[in-house]
Amino acid sequence: LPFSRPARPEPAENSAMDAPDHILIVDDDAEIRSLLSQYLVKNGLRVTAVAEGRAMWQALEAGRIDLIVLDLMLPGDDGLTLCRNLRAKSFDIPVIMLTARGAETDRIVGLEMGADDYLGKPFSARELLARIKAILRRARSLPENLQPDTARRIRFGDWSLDTAQRQLISAASVVTPLSGAEYRLLRIFLSHPNRVLTRDQLVDLTQGKDADPLDRSIDVQVSRLRHRLGDDPREPRLIKTVRGDGYVLAVDVTAEP
């Protein structure tokens, strides 16, 4: 099996008064869907499990989904295509991509397509549950040391960020939706303009205590954010690379109430 179940479920985080978080599993392996569903339900989550992309879209239309566990290899549209289409349709639902162990290229491309995290097969159900809980916590709160948004719109360079809709707006009024990970990363830069942030600081601010100190995915996320901003990675005007240190948002920031 591509994962193993612990003997006992983890303590559930939801109180009896809260609706359980709704997890959508998209995997064409029926046994994986069944075993994962049982384990996550025992840990206080609500689960819908489907085998392919068409059923995924139907589940999204049917009601609220809080997080998607998306296998890379699927019949029809694969996980990368589905993730890209999710972001194109302005869905900011967190996505954990399941990839083959050692397939670094697939993981990097998955992050570039808008996935929030990835997990290589084989994996343990306990680890998947920990990733789910960590991402849901991050999705519902700003990173540590950031103040809640007090401005509806934040202007920087030729762009503005609508903090309510979590959308980028260009000088030509073109609207670009952001994934949850992209929004959190941009908010960090906007909260620390003209200040060099190391990779470790960015990982800590975006992922907190659950971060892997050796994880280099922050570089992929910065690259994706630059792409959203039309920032040339060879000569960036907005998010500049400080060799040996990290990155800096090299423009002034103005907040509007």
Side-chain angles (χ1 to χ4, degrees):
L1 291 178
F3 68 92
S4 57
R5 287 181 295 171
R8 289 178 293 182
E10 299 290 326
E13 288 190 342
N14 295 90
S15 70
M17 297 295 293
D18 297 329
D21 291 311
H22 191 180
I23 310 302
L24 175 60
I25 298 171
V26 187
D27 196 305
D28 62 338
D29 188 311
E31 188 171 14
I32 291 177
R33 294 198 306 272
S34 175
L35 293 176
L36 267 185
S37 297
Q38 293 176 40
Y39 180 74
L40 295 179
V41 168
K42 286 181 180 179
N43 282 280
L45 299 170
R46 178 186 173 195
V47 176
T48 296
V50 300
E52 41 78 36
R54 183 170 54 183
M56 181 192 82
W57 294 117
Q58 292 173 348
L60 288 169
E61 292 174 359
R64 189 199 76 190
I65 298 293
D66 296 294
L67 182 143
I68 302 173
V69 178
L70 180 60
D71 190 25
L72 178 66
M73 302 301 295
L74 293 169
D77 289 340
D78 62 16
L80 294 177
T81 300
L82 292 173
C83 189
R84 181 178 65 243
N85 291 341
L86 272 170
R87 299 312 181 211
K89 294 176 182 291
S90 302
F91 283 95
D92 62 356
I93 302 169
V95 173
I96 297 178
M97 187 81 74
L98 301 181
T99 70
R101 180 176 293 277
E104 182 178 2
T105 300
D106 289 339
R107 294 197 293 270
I108 290 173
V109 174
L111 291 171
E112 290 177 342
M113 292 298 103
D116 294 80
D117 200 357
Y118 56 81
L119 193 58
K121 292 182 177 181
F123 61 89
S124 71
R126 183 189 294 271
E127 181 178 6
L128 177 62
L129 178 63
R131 300 282 187 103
I132 289 173
K133 289 181 177 179
I135 289 176
L136 289 175
R137 284 196 300 270
R138 296 200 301 265
R140 289 170 182 154
S141 63
L142 287 172
E144 188 177 358
N145 299 327
L146 291 185
Q147 297 298 318
D149 286 318
T150 57
R152 170 61 187 263
R153 184 166 293 193
I154 303 174
R155 297 188 181 276
F156 60 104
D158 296 329
W159 293 88
S160 63
L161 174 69
D162 185 325
T163 61
Q165 299 297 323
R166 298 194 171 193
Q167 295 175 333
L168 275 173
I169 304 172
S170 73
S173 299
V174 176
V175 175
T176 302
L178 296 174
S179 71
E182 291 165 348
Y183 176 78
R184 288 191 298 275
L185 182 58
L186 180 57
R187 279 286 289 112
I188 289 167
F189 281 121
L190 293 175
S191 296
H192 302 83
N194 298 300
R195 173 183 168 186
V196 177
L197 298 173
T198 68
R199 288 175 174 82
D200 288 343
Q201 286 175 323
L202 289 170
V203 170
D204 183 61
L205 287 168
T206 55
Q207 302 181 29
K209 297 179 182 179
D210 305 288
D212 179 351
L214 300 179
D215 189 354
R216 310 306 292 178
S217 64
I218 195 68
D219 296 311
V220 177
Q221 294 179 26
V222 169
S223 175
R224 179 172 175 80
L225 185 56
R226 278 174 170 164
H227 177 72
R228 292 286 199 189
L229 294 167
D231 215 10
D232 185 347
R234 293 169 296 183
E235 295 183 5
R237 297 181 304 104
L238 299 175
I239 303 175
K240 296 187 176 182
T241 302
V242 180
R243 191 173 301 277
D245 285 328
Y247 300 96
V248 58
L249 179 69
V251 292
D252 292 332
V253 173
T254 303
E256 298 180 356

